[in-house]
């Protein structure tokens, strides 16, 4: 994927609406017109907990329409707990949009979007863009339980075909969502976001099928803007996303370490050397 320039800045937003989609899963709507105008599918923001005692945390931009953007997140620690306590009318500072996002410059006939757990938060805008462009879009969505398959119907309303899986079998396929990908008719393009083991499996299946895949990596960012180099992954030296540094040797080939927050978070699966 080519490197993409983006215009990020600090936004002072205000909470427009708040819903708890499942225990510990929050959808926070924000009045953020400038952020909406600048956002592309697959980008993220660094959200600044308002007490000023915790570092900013990276969250995918879930919705961006009109003057409203939203963040969908699971409560996993002190920072997300503080964000979950925000109520309508309260301010929230964001830095973004950040990252390259998905490359949707070529429109496939059939696209498969694979989402695992909180990875669903980064793929709605891509699904909507592909449907608008005329592509047939299938969402393969997996979670631990049916309760954690949050907002799946929203993708159906957007025009996606839903294919679901749960670890406990409480809804959809009993098993991993990646098993479904290997059983379905091969798409022309695969987009995916979720835990690393899922993304590795998606990359392997895409290679077997000979289908290009773009993987949005989930990583814990310290700075989120490329300053600390705490979130690197090895890329093929030939990648257009590879930083201009001397390559290292890994597995008998040259690799370059790229920052997930700066050059990513979306990478071509065939260029990741993990």
């Amino acid at each position: 994927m080519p490197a993409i320039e983006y215009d990020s800045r600090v936004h002072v937003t205000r909470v427009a609406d708040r819903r708890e989609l499942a225990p510990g899963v929050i959808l926070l709507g924000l009045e953020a017109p400038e952020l909406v105008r600048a956002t592309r599918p697959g980008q993220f923001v660094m959200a600044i907990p308002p007490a000023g005692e915790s570092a900013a945390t990276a969250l995918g931009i879930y919705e961006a329409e009109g003057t409203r953007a939203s963040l969908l997140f699971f409560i996993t620690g002190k920072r997300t707990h503080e964000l979950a306590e925000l109520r309508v009318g309260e301010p929230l500072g964001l830095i973004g949009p950040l990252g390259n996002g998905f490359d949707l410059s070529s429109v496939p006939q059939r696209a498969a979007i694979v989402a695992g757990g909180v990875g669903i938060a980064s793929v709605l805008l891509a699904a909507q863009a592909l449907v608008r462009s005329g592509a047939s879009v299938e969402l393969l969505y997996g979670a631990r339980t049916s309760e954690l398959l949050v907002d799946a119907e929203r993708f159906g309303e957007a025009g996606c075909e839903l294919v679901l899986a749960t670890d406990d079998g409480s809804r959809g396929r009993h098993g991993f969502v990646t098993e479904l990908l290997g059983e379905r008719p091969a798409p022309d393009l695969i987009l995916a976001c979720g835990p690393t083991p899922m993304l590795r499996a998606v990359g392997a299946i895409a290679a077997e099928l000979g289908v290009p895949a773009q993987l949005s990596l989930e990583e814990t960012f310290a700075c989120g803007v490329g300053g600390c180099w705490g979130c690197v992954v090895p890329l093929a030296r030939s990648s257009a996303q590879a930083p201009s540094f001397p390559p290292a040797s890994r597995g008998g080939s040259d690799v370059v370490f790229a920052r997930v927050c700066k050059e990513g978070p979306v990478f071509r699966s065939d260029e990741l050397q993990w």
Side-chain angles (χ1 to χ4, degrees):
M1 291 179 57
I4 298 175
E5 296 296 327
Y6 50 84
D7 178 21
S8 62
R9 61 189 66 187
V10 176
H11 301 269
V12 179
T13 70
R14 197 162 293 278
V15 177
D17 54 86
R18 177 193 181 281
R19 284 195 292 147
E20 188 161 1
L21 302 179
V25 185
I26 305 298
L27 178 61
L28 205 61
L30 302 166
E31 185 68 17
E34 291 186 2
L35 179 67
V36 170
R37 283 195 291 272
T39 294
R40 292 193 307 273
Q43 290 188 296
F44 68 94
V45 294
M46 295 298 288
I48 306 168
E53 298 176 352
S54 302
T57 187
L59 298 173
I61 302 170
Y62 184 56
E63 299 165 294
E65 184 174 359
T67 61
R68 177 183 176 276
S70 73
L71 308 173
L72 192 165
F73 58 94
F74 287 38
I75 301 174
T76 56
K78 181 179 179 181
R79 293 180 293 181
T80 47
H81 180 78
E82 187 175 340
L83 295 173
E85 292 297 308
L86 287 168
R87 293 295 182 266
V88 173
E90 293 187 321
L92 174 63
L94 304 173
I95 303 170
L98 298 167
N100 58 345
F102 293 105
D103 179 4
L104 304 179
S105 55
S106 298
V107 180
Q109 283 192 322
R110 296 185 64 254
I113 297 177
V114 187
V118 73
I120 196 70
S122 296
V123 298
L124 177 61
L125 293 178
Q128 292 172 327
L130 286 167
V131 170
R132 281 197 302 269
S133 67
S136 173
V137 181
E138 189 174 61
L139 174 71
L140 289 74
Y141 181 18
R144 294 196 305 273
T145 67
S146 61
E147 192 173 40
L148 294 176
L149 286 170
V150 295
D151 227 19
E153 286 68 25
R154 177 69 189 277
F155 287 78
E157 294 168 1
C160 301
E161 180 183 354
L162 301 183
V163 186
L164 307 176
T166 50
D167 293 355
D168 65 357
S170 53
R171 189 177 178 188
R173 169 70 169 266
H174 185 183
F176 297 136
V177 68
T178 48
E179 297 169 2
L180 294 168
L181 179 62
E183 297 170 358
R184 310 286 293 180
D188 304 307
L189 173 67
I190 298 171
L191 309 180
C193 186
T196 298
M198 186 203 86
L199 294 179
R200 287 176 182 265
V202 169
I205 294 170
E208 291 176 5
L209 296 175
V211 175
Q214 300 178 25
L215 309 182
S216 179
L217 306 192
E218 290 185 351
E219 184 58 78
T220 299
F221 301 145
C223 72
V225 295
C228 71
W229 289 82
C231 60
V232 298
V233 291
L235 283 188
R237 176 62 177 165
S238 58
S239 171
Q241 290 174 265
S244 301
F245 294 108
S249 180
R250 184 184 178 113
S253 62
D254 286 345
V255 300
V256 172
F257 288 94
R259 297 159 290 188
V260 176
C261 71
K262 185 70 174 180
E263 283 76 43
V266 182
F267 297 93
R268 283 177 44 167
S269 64
D270 60 344
E271 293 183 345
L272 284 164
Q273 305 295 301
W274 54 1

